[in-house]
């Protein structure tokens, strides 16, 4: 609908005599916006008001408090019924039978029979109670009146007034009349207020028991987080898991599924229960629905772990207390106990806690080690904590390569024999030659007489994926990286994996984001202890831990990156794993850099000083006497076999094949010959210093002549 506007004006084109004629022109105006009817706007306002969150909250509150009264009435009625009948005993009896505990079932049946006998006696007593009550009232009334009369006679004699004889009886009559008056005054208001008090009592009972549907409860209660795990909750969670065969079997069970469950045991910061699945339901059908099972149990996915025990057709559920896994664990014993020492052969490294809250300790004896995970999940700290503990064993030697090079391992300077730090190809080359030197030391030990015991030599490479991915080649065109038969780092690691364990030469590696390219299959399967932090996919979890561990329930890919830092899934014979499980989840202790430095200082105090090499010398022109002095370092004396081992690490080409005879040949005639100390052959620091000084003096004199 449009409106027209009328304009009045004079027409200038008219003749002069008619210029005063006024022309009437009708000009149509622009179309106006459509007008919304009032009832439409009112409907929109009502819809907005109804769907507003405040309206929903208010409606739920009204419904909730009304349902509290109804629910409270049901609870009171059930309690009354249980108190008056044997329903409670019958429930416990059925539960005991469903659990297969016939001894407990017999006990509840006996209690039920006692209750029924007592109830029968009470009912029989009711038949004679009216007569007994009448007799009691008659006797009591007679005795009461007699007592009052006697009291009145005594008062009359005492007061010499015969009217006092009925005073006690009149006092009782007046008291009865007063009570009747009070009842008459109170009865009316009590009849009016009584129902409201009863409703308030029912509301109180209902509110305490949260006796309302879930949709009407407040948000913090409706979420159900933190709800304790009970048999009924577990059975309901399994029933709603989406496995038709499981749901049907539970419906057909006479005990509603209770016979599937073993006892619910407290296990650390959670509970543990074994579930025997019915025929036709496989364990992997439950494992594949971990998230749904966790949500059915009102938990987050990371708070539920499913493993396969030894019993057939059984899954073991471990359910954490809500939020418990987000709480930090205590400090490491390495930090709190300054007197702690290590024993490579018999001891175990305190690594952290398992999910049950028990201490998780790892044996490192003759076990190659691999730790992997995504970046920034705590891999270096977890690996370093093991090395810190082992550093407290004075016999253990370290060759370390840190291919990140940001100082995470700098505190081992003065404790490790070799410490190479840096991310470049040149650092990878140095680390490769360090590992090859360890291979030469391994071969030397293998050729020793049978029964010879060697100290542990830990070859540790952090960020080992940098070595496998290095594109550099040597002068013979052999690649340092890769996983081919001529790849130097790969082949050196493989040789240590194959034979190093027997002579205590062990390979420890830390890698991130594993793939077939940066962590070859032969290398990862050569490790005896395999541990993984959070990973992205199940295929990576299989690379890290192996198929057996993952098929048995290990799932590092289910850990939360950034939130589960320092949490490891470990597959190893060196750690206590519950029977039937292939892996265990460990929450490792966090040891910061300052604490690590303090631990290393304690380790240095346990042994003579070690001169740490920061590069592998590849110079073919060697000075054996100077090299011997350099590997002896600041120690007062070093055993000859340790000197030979350190020389082999310093330069495998020059000293890898040396024996005691070669060492003695170099030192004879210098004044620094090996000598016995405490029954073992050693080389002395001061003698070497004098030999070098005398040699330099003689050389200078010869040059002057």
């Amino acid at each position: 609908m449009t409106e027209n506007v009328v304009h009045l004006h004079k027409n200038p084109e008219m003749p002069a005599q008619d210029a005063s004629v006024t022309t009437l022109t009708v000009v149509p105006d622009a179309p106006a916006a459509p007008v919304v009817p009032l009832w439409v706007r009112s409907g929109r306002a009502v819809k907005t008001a109804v769907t507003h969150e405040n309206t929903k909250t208010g409606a739920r509150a009204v419904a909730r408090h009304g349902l509290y009264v109804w629910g409270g009435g049901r609870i009171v009625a059930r309690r009354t019924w249980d108190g008056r009948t044997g329903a409670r005993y019958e429930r416990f009896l059925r539960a005991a039978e469903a659990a297969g505990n016939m001894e407990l079932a017999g006990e509840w049946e006996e209690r039920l029979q006692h209750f029924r006998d007592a109830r029968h006696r009470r009912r029989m007593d009711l038949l004679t109670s009216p007569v007994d009550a009448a007799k009691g009232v008659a006797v009591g009334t007679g005795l009461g009146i007699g007592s009052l009369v006697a009291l009145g006679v005594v008062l009359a004699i005492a007061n010499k007034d015969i009217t006092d004889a009925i005073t006690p009886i009149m006092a009782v009559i007046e008291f009865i009349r007063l009570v009747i008056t009070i009842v008459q005054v109170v009865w009316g208001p009590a009849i009016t207020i009584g129902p409201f008090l009863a409703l308030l009592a029912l509301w109180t009972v209902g509110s305490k028991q949260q006796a309302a549907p879930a949709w009407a409860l407040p948000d913090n209660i409706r979420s159900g987080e933190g709800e304790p795990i009970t048999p009924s909750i577990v059975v309901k969670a399994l029933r709603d898991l989406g496995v038709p065969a499981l749901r049907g079997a539970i419906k057909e069970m006479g005990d509603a599924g209770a016979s599937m469950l073993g006892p619910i045991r407290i296990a650390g910061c959670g509970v543990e229960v074994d579930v025997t699945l019915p025929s036709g339901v496989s364990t992997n059908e439950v494992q594949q629905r971990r998230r749904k099972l966790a949500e059915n149990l009102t938990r987050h996915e990371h708070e539920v772990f499913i493993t396969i025990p030894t019993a057939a057709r059984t899954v073991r559920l471990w359910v954490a207390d809500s939020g418990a896994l987000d709480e930090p664990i205590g400090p490491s014993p390495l930090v709190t106990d300054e007197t702690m020492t290590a024993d490579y052969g018999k001891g175990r490294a305190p690594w952290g806690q398992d999910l049950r809250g028990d201490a998780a300790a790892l044996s490192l004896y003759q076990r190659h080690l691999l730790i992997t995970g995504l970046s920034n999940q705590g891999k270096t700290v977890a690996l370093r904590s093991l090395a810190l503990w082992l550093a407290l064993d004075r016999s253990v030697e370290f060759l370390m390569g840190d291919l990140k090079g940001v100082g995470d391992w700098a505190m081992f300077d003065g404790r490790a024999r070799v410490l190479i730090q840096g991310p470049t190809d040149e650092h990878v080359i140095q680390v490769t030659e360090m590992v090859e030197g360890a291979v030469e030391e391994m071969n030397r030990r293998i050729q020793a007489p049978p029964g010879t015991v060697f100290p542990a030599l830990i070859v540790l490479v952090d960020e080992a994926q940098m070595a496998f991915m290095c594109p550099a080649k040597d002068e013979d065109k052999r690649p340092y990286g890769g996983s081919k038969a001529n790849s130097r780092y790969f082949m050196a690691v493989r040789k240590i994996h194959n034979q190093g364990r027997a002579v205590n030469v062990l390979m420890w590696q830390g890698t991130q984001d594993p793939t077939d390219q940066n962590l070859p299959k032969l290398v990862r399967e050569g490790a005896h202890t395999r541990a993984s932090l959070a990973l992205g996919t199940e295929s990576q979890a299989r690379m890290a831990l192996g198929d057996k561990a993952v098929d048995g329930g290990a799932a590092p890919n289910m850990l939360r990156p950034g939130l589960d830092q320092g949490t490891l899934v470990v597959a190893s014979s060196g750690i206590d794993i519950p029977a039937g499980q292939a892996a265990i989840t460990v929450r490792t202790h966090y040891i910061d850099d300052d604490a690590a430095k303090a631990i290393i200082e304690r380790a240095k105090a346990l042994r003579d000083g070690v001169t740490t090499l920061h590069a592998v010398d590849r110079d073919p022109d060697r000075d054996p006497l100077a090299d011997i002095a350099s590997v002896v370092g600041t120690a007062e004396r070093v055993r000859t076999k340790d000197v030979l081992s350190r020389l082999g690490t310093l330069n495998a080409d020059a000293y890898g094949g040396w024996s005691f005879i070669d060492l003695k040949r170099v030192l004879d005639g210098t004044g620094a010959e090996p000598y016995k100390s405490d029954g073992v052959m050693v080389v002395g620091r001061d003698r070497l210093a004098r030999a070098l000084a005398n040699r330099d003096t003689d050389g200078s004199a010869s040059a002057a002549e």
Side-chain angles (χ1 to χ4, degrees), residues 470-516:
C470 179
K473 296 183 180 181
D474 62 14
E475 61 275 6
D476 296 327
K477 303 300 182 182
R478 294 176 58 201
Y480 287 93
S483 57
K484 297 181 179 179
N486 63 342
S487 299
R488 292 181 58 176
Y489 180 81
F490 170 75
M491 291 305 299
V493 172
R494 287 291 300 136
K495 290 175 182 177
I496 294 177
H497 278 176
N498 290 337
Q499 297 179 296
R501 183 190 64 82
V503 290
N504 288 326
V505 177
L506 303 179
M507 192 75 209
W508 291 9
Q509 296 183 96
T511 69
Q512 64 175 259
D513 201 10
T515 65
D516 284 327

Side-chain angles (χ1 to χ4, degrees), residues 451-462:
T452 305
V453 178
F454 297 98
L457 176 62
I458 308 299
V459 185
L460 189 153
V461 180
D462 195 12

Side-chain angles (χ1 to χ4, degrees), residues 500-641:
R501 183 190 64 82
V503 290
N504 288 326
V505 177
L506 303 179
M507 192 75 209
W508 291 9
Q509 296 183 96
T511 69
Q512 64 175 259
D513 201 10
T515 65
D516 284 327
Q517 290 71 38
N518 65 23
L519 188 59
K521 179 180 176 65
L522 291 177
V523 170
R524 59 181 185 251
E525 293 189 351
H528 303 99
T529 296
R530 300 167 72 172
S532 176
L533 296 113
L535 288 173
T537 63
E538 182 180 326
S539 63
Q540 286 185 316
R542 293 183 181 276
M543 291 180 191
L545 300 177
D547 292 335
K548 180 181 179 181
V550 175
D551 292 339
N557 52 304
M558 293 297 181
L559 296 175
R560 302 166 298 168
L563 297 177
D564 291 325
Q565 288 181 328
T567 300
L568 288 161
V569 181
V570 185
S572 172
S573 60
I575 194 170
D576 293 333
I577 298 178
Q581 295 181 205
I584 188 172
T585 301
V586 176
R587 303 172 68 198
T588 59
H589 295 294
Y590 177 73
I591 302 177
D592 59 26
D593 291 349
D594 293 336
K597 292 175 183 177
I599 295 170
I600 288 298
E601 290 302 320
R602 285 158 39 199
K604 292 177 182 178
L606 294 175
R607 55 175 294 158
D608 295 329
V610 175
T611 300
T612 299
L613 303 178
H614 296 282
V616 177
D617 192 357
R618 299 189 293 272
D619 185 3
D621 298 328
R622 307 300 309 180
D623 182 349
L625 187 60
D627 286 344
I628 293 172
S630 69
V631 299
V632 169
T634 60
E636 183 179 354
R637 63 183 69 88
V638 177
R639 292 184 296 180
T640 53
K641 66 177 184 178

Side-chain angles (χ1 to χ4, degrees), residues 383-445:
L383 181 60
R384 189 176 67 182
S385 65
L386 297 177
L388 288 171
W389 177 79
L390 200 54
L392 295 173
D393 184 336
R394 57 181 300 172
S395 67
V396 177
E397 300 284 354
F398 291 96
L399 307 180
M400 293 184 168
D402 175 15
L403 294 177
K404 185 189 296 181
V406 296
D408 291 334
W409 299 88
M411 67 286 299
F412 280 84
D413 193 353
R415 179 60 180 87
R417 282 165 46 185
V418 176
L419 177 59
I420 299 169
Q421 303 178 86
T424 66
D425 289 348
E426 177 60 28
H427 291 101
V428 171
I429 294 171
Q430 291 281 341
V431 167
T432 301
E433 294 180 347
M434 177 191 77
V435 178
E436 290 174 339
V439 173
E440 294 295 333
E441 169 65 14
M442 176 189 73
N443 292 334
R444 186 188 68 80
R445 293 183 177 190

